[in-house]
Amino acid sequence: MKATALPRAPFLIMSGTANHALAEEVAKHLEVSLCAVTHRRFADGELFVKVDENVRGRDVFIIQPTNPPAENILELLLMMDAAKRASAARITAVIPYFGYARQDRKDQPRVAISAKLMANLVSLEADRVLAIDFHQHQLQGFFDLPVDHLYAAPVFVNYYRQKTFKDLVVVASDVGAAKMARGFAKRLDASLAIIDKRRTAANEAEAVNVVGDVEGRDCLIPDDMIDTGGTMTEAVYALKRLGAEKIYIGATHALLSGPAAQRLSEAPVEEVAVTNTIEIPPERRFDKLKVLSIAPLLAKAIGYTHSDLSVSSLFD
Ligand code: R5P
């Protein structure tokens, strides 16, 4: 009997509960519906996940940022486990924001390396990882899996190219952000300045010195994340003291914890552009906040990954 070639099973997109709106948007770009999944809790709060469709032999992409609460990472693990036990052919953990990444080395006695621990946990269940702007690029090596690490920079650069700036300077908020800032400066045909930041304690930042000329010029400060907004607001005030004109902030991951919204609202900044890698609840939003969507980039990356096409074109 002649064998009939079966059509290749299409991919499936699943969403955790951490950023359902982003997953919906990605699915819309890919012209598919999200796979049906039940998320429930036992009376004591324990998470329950059930995949409500047949995933046997399918290429499954599970979208879930792992910002706090820590249940977000747990939910991702449960969803991957459910898909694997339901015989999915391949599981890609799509982690738009990879949380617990800041603790990436033993820089004081008796501390955990949470970034490695989280990578180990994800590696237990995933076949691949697709992520955006890790806190450090070398986190890719923490996973013993193929990792596609995307940059949100093209999304920001396209956005900023539509604005008119006065003699733009891209400012690195600390020495660690210099490489990212240099990339922005090159693409936006701007010059570069660097803030020499001294940190007195975790989540407390103090801008000390600015290397570069900012007087009478517009400034753009790019970073991977805004947590409490301390780093950014210190940078803004330091630039203003040196005579900077309009100041723009661009950061991929909008954690916007604690005082961030108030600090940034009060700071002399024109606009704070972020992406939707993390769901931003209404109480963390403020007038100057502009949210750019990362969904088209993620959708392309998922489509290319499914079709075994190179995703490196998405880096430009
Ligand atoms: C620093 O290494 C990071 O790139 C961010 O600048 C920092 O984590 C932001 O934290 P916060 O907003 O609390 O200053």
Side-chain angles (χ1 to χ4, degrees), residues 102 135 174 197 199 203 223-231:
R102 283 173 284 190
H135 192 53
D174 61 18
K197 179 179 79 170
R199 204 178 264 287
N203 277 140
D223 208 344
D224 65 324
M225 65 164 78
I226 302 175
D227 190 359
T228 64
T231 302

Side-chain angles (χ1 to χ4, degrees), residues 258-312:
Q262 193 182 347
R263 279 177 173 169
L264 292 163
S265 300
E266 291 169 357
V269 59
E270 293 301 306
E271 183 187 76
V272 179
V274 296
T275 77
N276 55 350
T277 54
I278 294 170
E279 191 175 66
I280 310 170
E283 66 276 12
R284 294 189 186 184
R285 292 179 183 254
F286 49 97
D287 286 349
K288 289 185 244 177
L289 189 73
K290 167 83 186 171
V291 184
L292 306 176
S293 181
I294 210 80
L297 179 74
L298 268 185
K300 269 191 197 151
I302 288 173
Y304 288 8
T305 304
H306 173 68
S307 309
D308 293 332
L309 295 172
S310 163
V311 297
S312 53

